Structure formats: C-alpha cells, structure tokens
Amino acid sequence: MDFVKLEVKGGIAIVTLDRQAKLNALNGMVLNELEETFQELQGNDEVRVIIVTGAGEKSFVAGADIGQFPSMSPEDAHAFAKRGQTVFSLIESSTKPVLAAINGFALGGGCELALSCHLRFASENALFGQPEVKLGVIAGYGGTQRLPRLIGRGRALDLLLSGRMIKADEALQMGLVNGVFPQIELLSKVEEYAEMLMTQGPQAQALTIRAVYRGVETTLSKGLEEEAAAFRDVFETEDRIEGATAFLERRPAKFKNR
Ligand code: COA
C-alpha cells in the first residue's frame, strides 16, 4: 500500500496514514487503502485493538483532499460524501476497539476520521476543526452527525459554523478527546492504553461497543432492550465463565476471545 501502513505487534494493530507531502489529506486512494486495511483487520484474529495515527509530527489528517473540489458536480459531491462515510462507518463498526492517536492537525475529514474511532487521544500540539465553511462547503464525512452526538449540538455547531480551530486542551474540555499527551509520548501512551484494554474480555468489549452505538440511535427503552440482549449474548461465551472463575480464585482472568 502506498499511503496506509499497517504494523501488527502483540495484538495491537497500528494503522498509519502516510501522505506527508499533503499533511496526510484523504484522497480516493487513501480511502481505498483504509477500507482494505480495516476489512483485513476485522478478520485477523491476532488483532485485539486498533490504533489509527498520522505519519510525521505535524498532521494526523488535514482533511479531505481539497484539490478535487473545484471540478466536482453536485452528483460527484454526493458520491464523494457517501464514499468517505462508507469507509468511516466501517471503522466505527469494528468489533475491536479503535483508538485514534491524533498527532497534529485533525481538520475536516481528519476530525471526522477521529470521530469514527471509538476513543480519541491527542498530542499537545494537535489542532481540531471543521473548517469546511471557510471553503463554502459543509462537513461530509459524518461531521454534522457524529460531532453533535459526541459533544452535544451547541458545541458541535460552534465548530461547524465558525470553522475555528481548537487546541488539544479545549478538545479535552469539550469531550472531543479522552486524553492529551506530549507529542513524543503520544503513541506509547496510546499503546499502553491498548494493552490495558487487551486484558479485558474481548467479546464483552465487542458487545459493549454494539450496545452503546445502537443505543444512541434509539429511544432509552429500545436501548435498554439492546443492552439486555447483549447481556444475554455475553453469557453464551466461554470468557464469562473464565472472568467469574478468575475473580473467585483471586487471579487475573485469561480470556480466550471465545
Ligand atoms: N487537501 C489537499 N491538500 C492539502 C490539504 C487538504 N485538505 N491540507 C494541506 N494540503 C497540502 C497543501 O496544499 C500543501 O501542498 P503543497 O506543498 O503541494 O502546496 C501541503 O499540504 C502543506 O500544507 P501547507 O498549507 O503548506 O501547510 P501549513 O503548515 O502552512 O498549513 C494547514 C497547514 C493544515 C493549516 C493548511 O494546510 C490548511 O488549512 N489545510 C486545509 C485544511 C482544511 O480546510 N481541511 C478541510 C478540507 S474539507
């Protein structure tokens, strides 16, 4: 692959977007490679947690590739938005936790890529924004939908209508990111977090992701039904027996992802 690098070590997959000459901006090829990578990771039993990051110290992803905009018709624009949405929804639907390690600019499609991950961690120099309005367009890779769901409508509209950039500390305050680390430590801290996640029940995590994402799309009563169904499903796993047994035997659980 030319623009998406994959490294798998000890159960953790690190997916690095690497198009540094354009600050890792997303073009069609990057999206294709991202899609292929996530399809492969979903079927790879060795992988338990996925980290998405950008190459270099300056940028996570500086957005969709603006170079394509001038020649796009409204129909092209619709297909363009749908394509990005499809790839980002694939990432969000991962049953393995996906962590964004945001190492610099997370603008437009870059912020939306981070939003499609389950958790977000940023370096102190990271900058976030949905600057599409500055170009006379709108967010099209899920920003108008995932941002308000994550940080609330008022805060989301502030970012989406002003196009202003915010620093990592403000992103943390808004709940846009889960943690902020010095640039040099970002990846190792996110890997540490991933390792901690790997000590927990994988099937339980997958079912938790499913219940949370289905739940926010529906009413409380239907969400509670989703939760009860997931609670039933988790009792079909071997790991739940190991979890309870390990607790009673006062030892760490050894989950088998079964
Ligand atoms: N699409 C295409 N190319 C992009 C890009 C994008 N979203 N973001 C950056 N680039 C390219 C620049 O055109 C430049 O290419 P060039 O060297 O061939 O001219 C290269 O990446 C470096 O960017 P540059 O603007 O020179 O870096 P900077 O440090 O001065 O500014 C940003 C960095 C991120 C503030 C600026 O590049 C920017 O505003 N990018 C667009 C962000 C945006 O609006 N994203 C949402 C798109 S919908």
Side-chain angles (χ1 to χ4, degrees):
M1 291 204 194
D2 295 323
F3 301 120
V4 177
K5 313 288 179 217
L6 174 62
E7 186 194 354
V8 179
K9 50 173 186 181
I12 301 173
I14 302 181
V15 177
T16 306
L17 280 82
D18 189 353
R19 192 180 170 228
Q20 291 185 62
K22 299 288 180 190
L23 301 181
N24 306 327
L26 304 164
N27 62 13
M29 278 178 72
V30 179
L31 287 177
N32 290 346
E33 292 184 13
L34 206 49
E35 182 177 53
E36 212 178 298
T37 304
F38 269 83
Q39 281 165 343
E40 181 190 324
L41 289 174
Q42 194 51 46
N44 184 340
D45 291 340
E46 270 176 49
V47 173
R48 283 272 288 105
V49 182
I50 301 165
I51 297 173
V52 181
T53 193
E57 291 179 358
K58 195 171 169 184
S59 185
F60 174 64
V61 169
D65 196 317
I66 301 168
Q68 308 165 73
F69 285 11
S71 63
M72 267 167 36
S73 69
E75 287 67 33
D76 295 337
H78 186 250
F80 177 92
K82 287 286 212 183
R83 177 70 189 134
Q85 288 177 2
T86 299
V87 177
F88 287 7
S89 291
L90 173 72
I91 295 173
E92 188 179 68
S93 70
S94 167
T95 57
K96 306 168 190 201
V98 183
L99 317 178
I102 302 152
N103 55 308
F105 292 118
L107 302 174
C111 189
E112 291 166 302
L113 171 62
L115 289 169
S116 72
C117 298
H118 301 135
L119 293 167
R120 284 149 292 281
F121 299 94
S123 56
E124 285 167 349
N125 65 313
L127 285 166
F128 296 80
Q130 296 287 164
E132 290 86 351
V133 282
K134 295 187 179 176
L135 303 166
V137 300
I138 75 164
Y141 286 178
T144 67
Q145 302 307 307
R146 291 197 177 96
L147 195 57
R149 280 168 170 76
L150 183 68
I151 64 173
R153 196 167 49 191
R155 286 169 168 167
L157 280 170
D158 164 25
L159 298 181
L160 289 160
L161 295 180
S162 69
R164 75 186 180 92
M165 270 193 226
I166 59 167
K167 291 182 181 169
D169 55 353
E170 191 176 352
L172 182 64
Q173 210 186 348
M174 281 187 175
L176 180 49
V177 295
N178 298 84
V180 178
F181 303 111
Q183 163 90 38
I184 194 161
E185 292 175 14
L186 175 69
L187 204 52
S188 62
K189 290 286 186 191
V190 179
E191 285 182 51
E192 250 174 55
Y193 188 93
E195 274 163 23
M196 180 275 289
L197 289 186
M198 284 198 300
T199 64
Q200 314 303 327
Q203 304 265 344
Q205 288 170 331
L207 287 163
T208 298
I209 293 170
R210 189 185 85 183
V212 167
Y213 279 86
R214 287 193 185 168
V216 293
E217 294 305 320
T218 186
T219 60
L220 177 62
S221 61
K222 287 200 175 121
L224 290 171
E225 277 172 28
E226 282 290 348
E227 184 183 79
F231 198 75
R232 178 197 57 218
D233 291 350
V234 86
F235 272 73
E236 284 173 8
T237 68
E238 285 177 31
D239 280 347
R240 65 96 182 179
I241 295 173
E242 165 62 8
T245 309
F247 174 80
L248 295 171
E249 292 176 357
R250 296 181 181 273
R251 61 170 175 84
K254 285 193 193 122
F255 294 115
K256 292 187 178 148
N257 201 6
R258 288 205 293 259

